[in-house]
Amino acid sequence: MEKYQQLSRRGFIRAGAIGIGTLSLTPALSALALNKPDKKLGIAIVGLGMYAGGQIAPALQHTQNCYLAGLVSGHPTKAAEWAAKYNVPSKNIYNYQNFDTIAQNPDIDIVYVILPVALHKEYTIRAAKAGKHVICEKPMAVTVKDCEEMVAACKKANRLLSIGYRMHFDPYALELKRIYQKQVYGKLKAFEAANGFFYNTDPKAWRLNKALAGGGSLMDMGIYTIQAARFTTGMEPVAVMNVRQEKTNPELFKEVDDKVFWDMEFPNGFVAKCKSSYSDQLSSVHAEFERGNVDVKPAFYYNGNKGTTPDGPMNFPPVIQQTLQMDDFANCVKINKKSQVPGEEGVKDMKVVEAIYRGLASGKRELV
Ligand code: NDP
């Protein structure tokens, strides 16, 4: 594999969120996992980068249902260092070429794909074909078609697929959803969400390369705001409108979007206003209800999210969102239930993303 630059996510506070969502039954799954219901399931991480090293591997030190059992990397020295740090046996280290032989490794039940976006599809499908359940990071893939192929491949292989939307395990996001559902402050009148960070980094970074990233801040950061509106309301947007973009540095952002603004229209006529950026530190949800506002800011951090309601501050003890997320998925594998954050969630978000990109090109309202 070619050498590439590790990116730096300056200004992006790395921290963490709880939640119990609805689960639905799936067909018979993982004989492998079902044969060891009381044991921790083994997770192999594919791609030992910033998120894997800063969040996922540390979060796996606190999981009850799964543990870090394998590593897949293009850099043997780094993999060996990780193996020593996390006590991973050398027989469970793979590279991108011999990855498929993971099929013969009973230590690995779940593969967690934490690669640049354009590689998500290939490694999800290869993992499923190797008989492993899969967690794939967001955004799920670069096109809706690719996302659908990933869902189909996992279904065909009879494996579970989940997307790394840790928001489903964030107490603040869950509380906002509860407030909406119970109409604690009446009906929702307006919803705004923004997510971004300063990404004025190396022009060679994969996030600025369309072929590897698929898009810019919209796909990387904006997807959280799409999730927030869909997760809170439980509704699916039917159209996007008022779509526009700005480029603070056209040379740096020559391949991908920098700042994107859009409105999402829901079936009942309700509109959510969203913004993503690679040139602003943004992380907020503002929800106006009939009897007052709920503000969550920061809304999308790993840790340290904060919220206020008309009754005062929201107060939740800190959680490690990724620990809850992985434990929930491992439990789903063990008890043979579909994840509350299945591949279909990623497909739905990418449908919105594609509509927004169509809106940027057409300057018109676009159906999702
Ligand atoms: P990094 O660039 O830090 O890491 C990506 C890793 O992928 C690299 O370290 C490398 O691992 C591997 N890789 C394989 N091929 C390539 C290639 N051609 N170019 C670059 N890397 C390659 O990215 P992040 O960790 O920040 O992001 C990875 C994924 O995680 C993305 O999908 C991102 O959206 C998602 N993410 C999710 C977050 C969340 O909150 N849910 C937060 C941050 C990221 P190796 O050297 O071991 O081969």
Side-chain angles (χ1 to χ4, degrees):
M1 194 183 62
E2 278 185 14
K3 234 179 167 325
Y4 50 80
Q5 291 287 329
Q6 285 266 71
L7 65 96
S8 131
R9 304 194 79 180
R10 269 182 291 166
F12 190 72
I13 296 179
R14 310 197 152 263
I18 206 163
I20 302 165
T22 51
L23 299 168
S24 54
L25 286 171
T26 57
L29 289 161
S30 188
L32 199 67
L34 289 171
N35 285 340
K36 40 181 177 177
D38 300 326
K39 281 194 182 166
K40 285 186 168 189
L41 302 187
I43 293 193
I45 295 179
V46 189
L48 310 182
M50 293 281 285
Y51 190 56
Q55 304 303 323
I56 298 301
L60 277 165
Q61 307 314 302
H62 302 280
T63 40
Q64 302 296 313
N65 298 328
C66 50
Y67 73 104
L68 180 53
L71 303 167
V72 185
S73 173
H75 290 91
T77 310
K78 178 167 54 169
E81 284 165 11
W82 274 56
K85 182 173 177 184
Y86 292 112
N87 203 21
V88 174
S90 55
K91 72 178 181 61
N92 291 358
I93 301 178
Y94 296 85
N95 57 43
Y96 301 114
Q97 287 70 43
N98 67 14
F99 171 65
D100 307 277
T101 62
I102 206 166
Q104 281 88 53
N105 191 334
D107 292 354
I108 313 297
D109 303 283
I110 297 166
V111 163
Y112 197 152
V113 178
I114 319 183
L115 294 165
V117 188
L119 303 173
H120 289 183
K121 175 185 162 186
E122 176 187 339
Y123 285 88
T124 294
I125 293 176
R126 283 171 72 178
K129 282 187 176 163
K132 308 303 176 185
H133 302 277
V134 186
I135 309 174
C136 175
E137 258 315 315
K138 48 58 60 179
M140 184 173 175
V142 294
T143 63
V144 172
K145 186 170 169 289
D146 282 359
C147 295
E148 288 173 340
E149 285 176 26
M150 291 157 76
V151 171
C154 290
K155 198 171 174 190
K156 189 173 173 200
N158 214 11
R159 301 295 91 172
L160 284 178
L161 170 62
S162 182
I163 309 302
Y165 288 131
R166 56 189 169 78
M167 175 189 297
H168 292 239
F169 303 89
D170 170 23
Y172 293 86
L174 284 159
E175 177 61 1
L176 180 58
K177 187 180 177 70
R178 187 191 72 83
I179 288 169
Y180 170 86
Q181 283 178 336
K182 300 279 180 202
Q183 297 195 2
V184 175
Y185 305 110
K187 290 200 170 119
L188 184 62
K189 295 190 315 180
F191 187 97
E192 289 177 24
N195 198 26
F197 73 111
F198 289 101
Y199 200 73
N200 47 1
T201 179
D202 180 352
K204 294 202 188 90
W206 68 260
R207 277 185 170 80
L208 300 179
N209 174 335
K210 191 165 191 303
L212 277 172
S217 80
L218 171 60
M219 288 197 46
D220 192 22
M221 308 302 284
I223 205 137
Y224 292 81
T225 68
I226 297 168
Q227 265 283 301
R230 291 185 49 247
F231 182 60
T232 302
T233 64
M235 291 190 291
E236 299 303 332
V238 289
V240 297
M241 54 196 181
N242 302 324
V243 181
R244 67 185 175 88
Q245 68 172 324
E246 288 171 16
K247 295 209 180 193
T248 47
N249 182 342
E251 183 52 30
L252 189 66
F253 297 109
K254 62 177 182 287
E255 292 192 22
V256 301
D257 41 283
D258 173 10
K259 297 185 184 202
V260 185
F261 309 79
W262 70 99
D263 294 348
M264 286 186 293
E265 191 184 309
F266 288 83
N268 62 355
F270 172 78
V271 171
K273 299 179 96 57
C274 299
K275 176 182 175 181
S276 68
S277 178
Y278 270 161
S279 301
D280 299 281
Q281 184 63 38
L282 306 168
S283 180
S284 63
V285 171
H286 171 73
E288 288 179 23
F289 294 91
E290 287 169 317
R291 294 191 294 279
N293 301 342
V294 176
D295 280 284
V296 188
K297 187 178 178 181
F300 305 113
Y301 285 2
Y302 305 137
N303 293 311
N305 289 336
K306 290 194 172 91
T308 56
T309 73
D311 293 318
M314 292 175 174
N315 276 315
F316 295 106
V319 297
I320 306 172
Q321 297 169 34
Q322 295 87 349
T323 297
L324 297 168
Q325 172 208 330
M326 290 185 281
D327 262 346
D328 184 71
F329 184 67
N331 187 50
C332 287
V333 171
K334 283 185 180 198
I335 64 172
N336 190 19
K337 281 187 175 176
K338 189 165 182 167
S339 162
Q340 65 175 287
V341 202
E344 287 83 353
E345 272 294 295
V347 178
K348 286 174 183 167
D349 283 346
M350 271 311 292
K351 285 185 175 170
V352 180
V353 167
E354 283 194 352
I356 296 167
Y357 282 130
R358 285 199 304 276
L360 279 177
S362 70
K364 294 182 185 154
R365 176 178 179 271
E366 294 284 345
L367 296 178
V368 171

